[in-house]
Amino acid sequence: MKLPIFLYGSKILRENAADADLMKKDEITALVADMEETLAAADGCGLAAPQVGVPSRILIVDGRGLEDVYPYLKDFKRVMINPELLEESRETCDYSEGCLSVPGIYAEVRRPERIKVRYVNEKFETVTEEFDKFACRMVQHEMDHLDGKMFVDRVAPIRRKMISKKLGNISRGKVSAHYKTRLGE
């Protein structure tokens, strides 16, 4: 089932998500299926549970639609339940980021080049994996959502000032998107 994506300004996007209860496998599996359908309909490359109104530490990253630009993402898709950042590199890199919760805004964000994450996958297996390049970027972006952070919090102050009017419009629901959105309290 396609779920509405909560927009910038929604309270749930600023809350710390709780660990998913791994004993509730059927609920998690159903939520993941709904998130995958929602992500595909929105034509995005990542989605965290808080973005669909569920305050749970679950995210999906899917780079398969980006393989023309990033060939190494050809088969890259991950479901991460209760991800935990174990390591991050000192080296950083800048990439332009956007977000389904902040339609129409893109900005350069500096993040670590490499990270190591431990998470539970959709088969409920514990995995420890290292990420680099754009895969690393996608994982970090979605993990931020689990901690109530958004990419616009990480942009340079001058850029933040430049986009402040657009952010205000989004938080008032004055935005157009080709997918179902919702503004939460």
Side-chain angles (χ1 to χ4, degrees), residues 50-181:
Q51 290 180 274
V52 294
V54 180
S56 189
R57 297 187 75 79
I58 300 172
L59 66 86
I60 299 170
V61 288
D62 188 348
R64 295 175 300 178
L66 303 171
E67 61 197 51
D68 290 347
V69 178
Y70 305 111
Y72 55 87
L73 295 177
K74 180 180 173 232
D75 298 315
F76 183 79
K77 179 177 178 253
R78 301 289 186 279
V79 171
M80 298 182 171
I81 305 163
N82 298 335
E84 176 187 358
L85 181 66
L86 301 176
E87 294 175 20
E88 62 184 22
S89 68
R90 289 185 185 178
E91 300 82 25
T92 60
C93 59
D94 295 336
Y95 278 100
S96 180
E97 293 187 24
C99 181
L100 295 172
S101 292
V102 190
I105 296 179
Y106 299 89
E108 292 287 317
V109 177
R110 178 166 290 157
R111 294 188 187 268
E113 281 186 4
R114 292 177 310 284
I115 59 172
K116 182 190 279 188
V117 179
R118 180 174 39 237
Y119 62 94
V120 175
N121 66 18
E122 67 276 16
K123 297 175 185 171
F124 296 93
E125 303 163 332
T126 300
V127 176
T128 299
E129 188 171 6
E130 292 185 23
F131 301 97
D132 63 3
K133 302 179 184 175
F134 200 72
C136 177
R137 174 70 40 161
M138 291 188 298
V139 172
Q140 290 177 85
H141 178 107
E142 298 310 326
M143 283 182 70
D144 267 359
H145 279 298
L146 304 180
D147 296 324
K149 295 180 187 148
M150 300 181 76
F151 86 97
V152 294
D153 301 333
R154 297 186 179 274
V155 302
I158 187 72
R159 180 69 175 135
R160 176 75 185 225
K161 188 164 180 67
M162 292 170 61
I163 62 174
S164 64
K165 184 175 180 182
K166 287 182 180 179
L167 290 173
N169 285 338
I170 293 169
S171 69
R172 288 187 293 281
K174 296 179 180 177
V175 66
S176 177
H178 69 277
Y179 46 89
K180 197 158 114 179
T181 61

Side-chain angles (χ1 to χ4, degrees), residues 23-40:
M23 301 304 290
K24 297 181 177 180
K25 291 181 180 180
D26 290 344
E27 287 179 29
I28 291 171
T29 299
L31 174 61
V32 167
D34 289 346
M35 288 174 63
E36 288 174 330
E37 186 176 343
T38 302
L39 181 61

